[in-house]
Short mmCIF file of all heavy atoms in Angstrom, two decimals:
data_model
loop_
_atom_site.label_atom_id
_atom_site.label_comp_id
_atom_site.label_asym_id
_atom_site.label_seq_id
_atom_site.Cartn_x
_atom_site.Cartn_y
_atom_site.Cartn_z
N TRP A 1 34.80 73.26 70.07
CA TRP A 1 35.74 72.89 71.12
C TRP A 1 36.21 74.11 71.90
O TRP A 1 36.42 74.04 73.11
CB TRP A 1 36.94 72.14 70.52
CG TRP A 1 36.63 70.69 70.32
CD1 TRP A 1 36.46 70.03 69.14
CD2 TRP A 1 36.45 69.71 71.35
NE1 TRP A 1 36.17 68.69 69.36
CE2 TRP A 1 36.17 68.48 70.72
CE3 TRP A 1 36.50 69.75 72.74
CZ2 TRP A 1 35.95 67.31 71.42
CZ3 TRP A 1 36.27 68.58 73.47
CH2 TRP A 1 36.00 67.38 72.80
N CYS A 2 36.34 75.23 71.23
CA CYS A 2 36.70 76.46 71.93
C CYS A 2 35.62 76.84 72.94
O CYS A 2 35.94 77.23 74.07
CB CYS A 2 36.92 77.60 70.93
SG CYS A 2 37.43 79.17 71.69
N LEU A 3 34.36 76.70 72.57
CA LEU A 3 33.26 76.98 73.49
C LEU A 3 33.32 76.08 74.71
O LEU A 3 33.07 76.52 75.85
CB LEU A 3 31.91 76.81 72.77
CG LEU A 3 31.58 77.84 71.68
CD1 LEU A 3 30.33 77.42 70.93
CD2 LEU A 3 31.39 79.22 72.29
N ILE A 4 33.63 74.83 74.51
CA ILE A 4 33.73 73.88 75.63
C ILE A 4 34.88 74.27 76.57
O ILE A 4 34.72 74.33 77.80
CB ILE A 4 33.93 72.44 75.10
CG1 ILE A 4 32.66 71.97 74.38
CG2 ILE A 4 34.28 71.49 76.25
CD1 ILE A 4 32.83 70.65 73.64
N PHE A 5 36.04 74.54 75.99
CA PHE A 5 37.21 74.88 76.81
C PHE A 5 37.01 76.18 77.59
O PHE A 5 37.38 76.28 78.76
CB PHE A 5 38.46 74.97 75.92
CG PHE A 5 38.90 73.66 75.34
CD1 PHE A 5 39.45 73.60 74.06
CD2 PHE A 5 38.77 72.48 76.05
CE1 PHE A 5 39.86 72.40 73.51
CE2 PHE A 5 39.18 71.26 75.51
CZ PHE A 5 39.72 71.23 74.24
N THR A 6 36.43 77.19 76.95
CA THR A 6 36.24 78.47 77.64
C THR A 6 35.21 78.35 78.76
O THR A 6 35.33 79.03 79.79
CB THR A 6 35.80 79.58 76.66
OG1 THR A 6 34.64 79.15 75.92
CG2 THR A 6 36.91 79.92 75.68
N THR A 7 34.22 77.49 78.58
CA THR A 7 33.23 77.26 79.63
C THR A 7 33.88 76.64 80.86
O THR A 7 33.60 77.04 82.00
CB THR A 7 32.10 76.35 79.13
OG1 THR A 7 31.43 76.98 78.03
CG2 THR A 7 31.09 76.07 80.23
N ILE A 8 34.77 75.70 80.66
CA ILE A 8 35.47 75.06 81.77
C ILE A 8 36.31 76.09 82.54
O ILE A 8 36.28 76.14 83.77
CB ILE A 8 36.36 73.91 81.25
CG1 ILE A 8 35.49 72.78 80.69
CG2 ILE A 8 37.27 73.38 82.36
CD1 ILE A 8 36.27 71.69 79.98
N VAL A 9 37.06 76.90 81.81
CA VAL A 9 37.93 77.90 82.45
C VAL A 9 37.10 78.89 83.27
O VAL A 9 37.40 79.16 84.44
CB VAL A 9 38.76 78.65 81.39
CG1 VAL A 9 39.48 79.85 82.02
CG2 VAL A 9 39.77 77.72 80.75
N ASN A 10 36.04 79.42 82.68
CA ASN A 10 35.23 80.43 83.38
C ASN A 10 34.49 79.84 84.57
O ASN A 10 34.29 80.54 85.59
CB ASN A 10 34.24 81.06 82.40
CG ASN A 10 34.88 82.11 81.53
OD1 ASN A 10 35.45 83.08 82.02
ND2 ASN A 10 34.82 81.93 80.21
N ALA A 11 34.08 78.59 84.47
CA ALA A 11 33.39 77.95 85.60
C ALA A 11 34.33 77.82 86.80
O ALA A 11 33.93 78.09 87.95
CB ALA A 11 32.87 76.58 85.18
N LEU A 12 35.56 77.42 86.56
CA LEU A 12 36.53 77.26 87.65
C LEU A 12 36.81 78.59 88.34
O LEU A 12 36.82 78.68 89.58
CB LEU A 12 37.83 76.65 87.11
CG LEU A 12 37.74 75.20 86.62
CD1 LEU A 12 39.05 74.78 85.97
CD2 LEU A 12 37.41 74.27 87.79
N PHE A 13 37.04 79.63 87.55
CA PHE A 13 37.33 80.94 88.15
C PHE A 13 36.09 81.54 88.79
O PHE A 13 36.20 82.25 89.79
CB PHE A 13 37.91 81.89 87.10
CG PHE A 13 39.39 81.71 86.90
CD1 PHE A 13 39.86 80.89 85.88
CD2 PHE A 13 40.29 82.34 87.73
CE1 PHE A 13 41.22 80.71 85.69
CE2 PHE A 13 41.66 82.17 87.55
CZ PHE A 13 42.13 81.36 86.53
N GLY A 14 34.92 81.26 88.23
CA GLY A 14 33.70 81.77 88.83
C GLY A 14 33.51 81.26 90.25
O GLY A 14 33.12 82.02 91.15
N VAL A 15 33.79 80.00 90.47
CA VAL A 15 33.69 79.42 91.82
C VAL A 15 34.69 80.08 92.76
O VAL A 15 34.36 80.45 93.89
CB VAL A 15 33.92 77.90 91.76
CG1 VAL A 15 34.03 77.33 93.17
CG2 VAL A 15 32.80 77.21 90.99
N ALA A 16 35.92 80.25 92.28
CA ALA A 16 36.96 80.87 93.11
C ALA A 16 36.61 82.31 93.48
O ALA A 16 36.75 82.73 94.63
CB ALA A 16 38.30 80.82 92.39
N PHE A 17 36.13 83.08 92.51
CA PHE A 17 35.77 84.48 92.77
C PHE A 17 34.59 84.58 93.74
O PHE A 17 34.54 85.47 94.59
CB PHE A 17 35.43 85.19 91.47
CG PHE A 17 36.62 85.44 90.58
CD1 PHE A 17 36.44 85.61 89.22
CD2 PHE A 17 37.90 85.50 91.10
CE1 PHE A 17 37.53 85.86 88.39
CE2 PHE A 17 39.00 85.74 90.28
CZ PHE A 17 38.81 85.92 88.91
N ALA A 18 33.62 83.68 93.59
CA ALA A 18 32.42 83.74 94.43
C ALA A 18 32.74 83.38 95.88
O ALA A 18 32.15 83.95 96.81
CB ALA A 18 31.35 82.80 93.89
N LEU A 19 33.66 82.44 96.08
CA LEU A 19 33.94 81.94 97.43
C LEU A 19 35.02 82.74 98.17
O LEU A 19 35.03 82.75 99.41
CB LEU A 19 34.36 80.46 97.36
CG LEU A 19 33.30 79.49 96.84
CD1 LEU A 19 33.85 78.07 96.82
CD2 LEU A 19 32.03 79.56 97.69
N THR A 20 35.91 83.41 97.44
CA THR A 20 37.04 84.08 98.10
C THR A 20 37.25 85.51 97.59
O THR A 20 38.36 85.86 97.17
CB THR A 20 38.34 83.27 97.91
OG1 THR A 20 38.61 83.17 96.49
CG2 THR A 20 38.22 81.88 98.50
N PRO A 21 36.24 86.36 97.62
CA PRO A 21 36.40 87.71 97.06
C PRO A 21 37.45 88.56 97.78
O PRO A 21 38.27 89.21 97.14
CB PRO A 21 35.00 88.32 97.19
CG PRO A 21 34.35 87.55 98.27
CD PRO A 21 34.89 86.16 98.17
N VAL A 22 37.41 88.57 99.11
CA VAL A 22 38.35 89.40 99.85
C VAL A 22 39.78 88.89 99.70
O VAL A 22 40.73 89.68 99.54
CB VAL A 22 37.96 89.46 101.34
CG1 VAL A 22 39.00 90.25 102.14
CG2 VAL A 22 36.58 90.09 101.51
N LEU A 23 39.94 87.58 99.70
CA LEU A 23 41.27 87.00 99.52
C LEU A 23 41.85 87.41 98.17
O LEU A 23 43.05 87.72 98.07
CB LEU A 23 41.19 85.47 99.63
CG LEU A 23 42.51 84.72 99.48
CD1 LEU A 23 43.49 85.12 100.58
CD2 LEU A 23 42.26 83.20 99.52
N CYS A 24 41.03 87.41 97.14
CA CYS A 24 41.48 87.83 95.82
C CYS A 24 41.93 89.29 95.83
O CYS A 24 42.97 89.64 95.27
CB CYS A 24 40.35 87.66 94.79
SG CYS A 24 39.91 85.94 94.44
N PHE A 25 41.18 90.14 96.50
CA PHE A 25 41.52 91.56 96.58
C PHE A 25 42.80 91.80 97.38
O PHE A 25 43.56 92.74 97.10
CB PHE A 25 40.37 92.36 97.18
CG PHE A 25 39.52 93.07 96.17
CD1 PHE A 25 38.92 92.39 95.13
CD2 PHE A 25 39.32 94.44 96.26
CE1 PHE A 25 38.13 93.03 94.20
CE2 PHE A 25 38.54 95.11 95.32
CZ PHE A 25 37.94 94.40 94.28
N ARG A 26 43.04 90.96 98.39
CA ARG A 26 44.21 91.15 99.25
C ARG A 26 45.52 90.93 98.50
O ARG A 26 46.59 91.32 98.97
CB ARG A 26 44.15 90.23 100.47
CG ARG A 26 43.17 90.71 101.53
CD ARG A 26 43.37 89.98 102.85
NE ARG A 26 42.39 90.41 103.84
CZ ARG A 26 42.50 91.50 104.58
NH1 ARG A 26 43.56 92.28 104.43
NH2 ARG A 26 41.56 91.82 105.45
N MET A 27 45.47 90.31 97.35
CA MET A 27 46.69 90.17 96.54
C MET A 27 47.18 91.53 96.05
O MET A 27 48.35 91.71 95.74
CB MET A 27 46.44 89.24 95.35
CG MET A 27 46.20 87.80 95.70
SD MET A 27 46.15 86.74 94.24
CE MET A 27 44.68 87.35 93.40
N PHE A 28 46.26 92.51 96.01
CA PHE A 28 46.59 93.83 95.47
C PHE A 28 46.71 94.91 96.54
O PHE A 28 47.44 95.88 96.35
CB PHE A 28 45.52 94.25 94.45
CG PHE A 28 45.43 93.35 93.26
CD1 PHE A 28 44.62 92.22 93.27
CD2 PHE A 28 46.17 93.62 92.12
CE1 PHE A 28 44.53 91.39 92.17
CE2 PHE A 28 46.10 92.78 91.02
CZ PHE A 28 45.28 91.68 91.04
N THR A 29 45.97 94.77 97.61
CA THR A 29 45.95 95.85 98.60
C THR A 29 45.54 95.33 99.97
O THR A 29 44.82 94.33 100.07
CB THR A 29 44.98 96.96 98.17
OG1 THR A 29 45.02 98.03 99.12
CG2 THR A 29 43.56 96.44 98.05
N GLN A 30 46.01 96.02 101.00
CA GLN A 30 45.58 95.73 102.37
C GLN A 30 44.69 96.85 102.92
O GLN A 30 44.33 96.85 104.09
CB GLN A 30 46.82 95.57 103.27
CG GLN A 30 47.77 94.48 102.82
CD GLN A 30 47.12 93.11 102.73
OE1 GLN A 30 46.34 92.73 103.60
NE2 GLN A 30 47.44 92.37 101.68
N ASP A 31 44.37 97.81 102.05
CA ASP A 31 43.56 98.96 102.45
C ASP A 31 42.12 98.51 102.70
O ASP A 31 41.42 98.06 101.79
CB ASP A 31 43.60 100.01 101.34
CG ASP A 31 43.01 101.35 101.77
OD1 ASP A 31 42.06 101.34 102.57
OD2 ASP A 31 43.50 102.39 101.27
N GLU A 32 41.67 98.63 103.95
CA GLU A 32 40.33 98.15 104.33
C GLU A 32 39.22 98.87 103.59
O GLU A 32 38.17 98.30 103.29
CB GLU A 32 40.13 98.29 105.84
CG GLU A 32 41.01 97.36 106.67
CD GLU A 32 40.73 95.88 106.41
OE1 GLU A 32 39.57 95.55 106.09
OE2 GLU A 32 41.66 95.07 106.52
N ALA A 33 39.46 100.15 103.27
CA ALA A 33 38.44 100.91 102.55
C ALA A 33 38.23 100.36 101.15
O ALA A 33 37.11 100.39 100.61
CB ALA A 33 38.84 102.39 102.48
N VAL A 34 39.28 99.85 100.53
CA VAL A 34 39.18 99.25 99.20
C VAL A 34 38.62 97.83 99.32
O VAL A 34 37.76 97.41 98.52
CB VAL A 34 40.55 99.23 98.50
CG1 VAL A 34 40.44 98.55 97.13
CG2 VAL A 34 41.09 100.65 98.34
N LEU A 35 39.06 97.09 100.33
CA LEU A 35 38.59 95.71 100.52
C LEU A 35 37.09 95.65 100.78
O LEU A 35 36.45 94.63 100.52
CB LEU A 35 39.34 95.07 101.69
CG LEU A 35 40.84 94.81 101.49
CD1 LEU A 35 41.47 94.31 102.79
CD2 LEU A 35 41.06 93.79 100.37
N ALA A 36 36.52 96.73 101.26
CA ALA A 36 35.08 96.75 101.55
C ALA A 36 34.25 96.55 100.29
O ALA A 36 33.09 96.14 100.36
CB ALA A 36 34.71 98.08 102.21
N TYR A 37 34.83 96.83 99.12
CA TYR A 37 34.11 96.68 97.85
C TYR A 37 34.36 95.32 97.19
O TYR A 37 33.84 95.06 96.10
CB TYR A 37 34.53 97.79 96.89
CG TYR A 37 34.08 99.16 97.31
CD1 TYR A 37 34.92 100.00 98.02
CD2 TYR A 37 32.79 99.61 97.02
CE1 TYR A 37 34.51 101.26 98.43
CE2 TYR A 37 32.37 100.86 97.43
CZ TYR A 37 33.24 101.69 98.13
OH TYR A 37 32.81 102.93 98.53
N ALA A 38 35.14 94.45 97.82
CA ALA A 38 35.53 93.18 97.20
C ALA A 38 34.33 92.31 96.86
O ALA A 38 34.20 91.79 95.75
CB ALA A 38 36.50 92.43 98.11
N GLY A 39 33.42 92.11 97.82
CA GLY A 39 32.26 91.25 97.59
C GLY A 39 31.38 91.76 96.47
O GLY A 39 30.92 90.99 95.61
N MET A 40 31.15 93.07 96.43
CA MET A 40 30.34 93.69 95.40
C MET A 40 30.97 93.48 94.01
O MET A 40 30.29 93.10 93.05
CB MET A 40 30.19 95.19 95.68
CG MET A 40 29.38 95.95 94.65
SD MET A 40 29.52 97.75 94.89
CE MET A 40 28.89 97.92 96.55
N CYS A 41 32.27 93.72 93.92
CA CYS A 41 32.97 93.58 92.64
C CYS A 41 32.93 92.15 92.13
O CYS A 41 32.66 91.89 90.96
CB CYS A 41 34.41 94.05 92.76
SG CYS A 41 34.61 95.83 92.98
N MET A 42 33.19 91.21 93.03
CA MET A 42 33.23 89.81 92.61
C MET A 42 31.85 89.28 92.24
O MET A 42 31.70 88.45 91.34
CB MET A 42 33.84 88.94 93.72
CG MET A 42 35.31 89.20 93.98
SD MET A 42 36.39 88.82 92.56
CE MET A 42 36.53 90.42 91.78
N PHE A 43 30.81 89.78 92.90
CA PHE A 43 29.44 89.39 92.56
C PHE A 43 29.12 89.77 91.12
O PHE A 43 28.58 88.97 90.34
CB PHE A 43 28.47 90.07 93.53
CG PHE A 43 27.03 90.02 93.09
CD1 PHE A 43 26.32 88.83 93.12
CD2 PHE A 43 26.40 91.17 92.63
CE1 PHE A 43 24.99 88.79 92.70
CE2 PHE A 43 25.08 91.14 92.21
CZ PHE A 43 24.38 89.95 92.25
#
């Protein structure tokens, strides 16, 4: 059951990270030089 629950959690966040990488990074910084690495990090 733990395997099932963890799969659900990671699948949901995986979709969010893949679709909104820059938005996720903007919660921490507005520095464009840092935001340039958002897509790479989330991939």
Side-chain angles (χ1 to χ4, degrees):
W1 278 110
C2 182
L3 291 172
I4 292 171
F5 293 145
T6 54
T7 299
I8 293 172
V9 170
N10 281 302
L12 292 173
F13 277 95
V15 171
F17 289 156
L19 296 180
T20 61
V22 176
L23 181 62
C24 291
F25 260 56
R26 284 194 183 278
M27 292 188 295
F28 297 88
T29 182
Q30 302 302 318
D31 191 327
E32 292 298 329
V34 178
L35 292 174
Y37 292 96
M40 179 191 300
C41 290
M42 292 297 95
F43 166 72

